[in-house]
Structure formats: structure tokens, C-alpha cells
Amino acid sequence: MITSYHIHTKFSDGQNTAQEMIEAAIQSGIDEIGISDHYVLTDGPVFDWSMKLDGLSDYFNVLNQAADKVRSKINVRYGLEADFVPEMTDRLAETLHDYPFDYVIGSVHLINGACIDGSKDYWDALSQSEKNDVIRTYWHMIARLAKSGIFDIVGHMDLYKKFGSQPTIDVSEDIMIALDAIAKAGIAVELNTSGWHKPINEAYPSAMILKGCHKRGIPVVLTADAHRTQDITRDFDRGCQLLQSIGYASRAVFENRKLTMIDLT
């Protein structure tokens, strides 16, 4: 069973419509596709890579219309990639409760209001000490994301490395605390293959972090973070090989916010 759950459309920062992504998935032989556009709930301005704050009803209408056309050809799962913003936790939980999602990916893109994966210039402007502080803060937020009870999948862990920035201090304890929180919450992490096509040239998260996930029994989802039709299953073979080398033999699928395990391949 081939699934691809981290898919963006024109509703946020994708290049194609939901219908186009779904049709491309059918053509490529996928059994189940999940659309998961960006949703960033803040008190500040709306980011141009996120859907409008009042856009969820329209989003579901579009997904329903697209799914209705292909019911006999592919399973369409209704997802969302929602940012974890600590001060907005309660409001986000209330907002998501009103919609029939199959899964919600929780991601951290924002640290102190700045987008950590938006530009290399952001990192170049920081001292190494400041970079270390941002990275430690990132892992503290991942732990809080897991404890919030809002999310089903943790998105692209160690995203901060996108442009090559790495800590010069030992953050292994911070990472392990975050992984413990994820394991306790009973949620999944994704192996996001898009990192192989970023300056860092490494999937999210690193093999070391995936080993920590496997040790704790944390379920994994294989995703491509596709923003265009040709990337829906990009590097899935490579991702499967990495997961198998770590010891994974199964992966997670979702329906109505419930996780089920199936064979990895």
C-alpha cells in the first residue's frame, strides 16, 4: 500500500490544485493520498505560505469536491500541517476540533516569530551562540508540541538544518527529551524525503534521530512534502531503505485521527 500524506496545494504554497495532485497520485499508482496544506494560527500577519485563518471551510469544500470525483480510484485523506505556536495552543485545538481531519501534522517553522526555514540570510545574521539558542529552543518546542495533544504526526524534525546550520554545543539531551515526549504522546514522526533536495542534502530527521525514534517505538510515516505533482513519492525507495536499515518494518496510516500500522513496503 503506497501512501503520501504530506502534500501541499495552491491552498497554501503548493504549485498545483488538490484535484491535480490527486489525479497525479492516481496516475503514479498511489493507493492513498493525504492533502495537508499549511495553517499558521497567530495573532500577527498571515504568512504567504499559509492558508487564510478563515480558510478551513473552503479548504474542506475543495477537498470534498476533489475526492468525490475519484472515490473508486484512490483514498483521499484530509490532513493539515498546522504550526505549533505555544501561545495559540488552546485556540488551535478549538479550531481543529470543528473539522473532520484524518490527521494533523504538527510543525515548528517559527522561533520567536522568525521563520527558520525561509532563508539562509536568517541564519547568516546570527552568531553561533544565537544559532545554538534557536536550535535548543526548537527542540523544547517539539517537546511541547508533543505534549499538547493536538497533533498526530511531528513534521520534518530538525528542520533548522535546511541551510546547513548545526549546533556547536551538545543538544542530544534536548533531542532525547523531545523524543520521550513524542513516545509518551503516542504520535508518529515523518521521514520527510524533501531534505535530500535542500542545501543540507539530508532527509528530515537525521538517521541518528530516527534511531532514537525506533528505540522508543515511535511510529513513522514516509512523506515527500510535495509542493508539485512530480514530487508526490520522490525518493520513497531511498526512504524505505533508510528506515529498513534502522530497523523499521512497519509504518503508520491514518483515518479519522486514528493510527494504524501496516508493513513498511
Side-chain angles (χ1 to χ4, degrees), residues 18 27 29 36 48 97 105 156 174 189 228 234 246 253 262:
Q27 293 299 315
S36 54
D48 59 7
H97 184 267
I105 300 171
H156 42 54
D174 303 284
V189 302
R228 55 183 188 168
R234 184 170 59 172
I246 288 169
V253 294
I262 64 172

Side-chain angles (χ1 to χ4, degrees), residues 62-104:
V62 168
L63 294 186
N64 281 328
Q65 292 171 13
D68 283 343
K69 297 178 180 179
V70 296
R71 292 291 181 191
S72 63
K73 299 179 181 178
I74 192 171
N75 290 330
V76 178
R77 298 301 181 204
Y78 295 4
L80 194 72
E81 183 179 5
D83 261 64
F84 176 69
V85 180
E87 61 270 22
M88 305 301 288
T89 301
D90 291 342
R91 279 183 55 186
L92 179 61
E94 292 172 3
T95 299
L96 298 182
H97 184 267
D98 294 334
Y99 297 92
F101 289 106
D102 288 303
Y103 62 91
V104 177

Side-chain angles (χ1 to χ4, degrees), residues 207-223:
M208 182 274 290
I209 295 172
L210 282 171
K211 289 176 182 177
C213 292
H214 182 259
K215 180 180 179 180
R216 291 165 174 78
I218 297 172
V220 67
V221 181
L222 181 60
T223 69

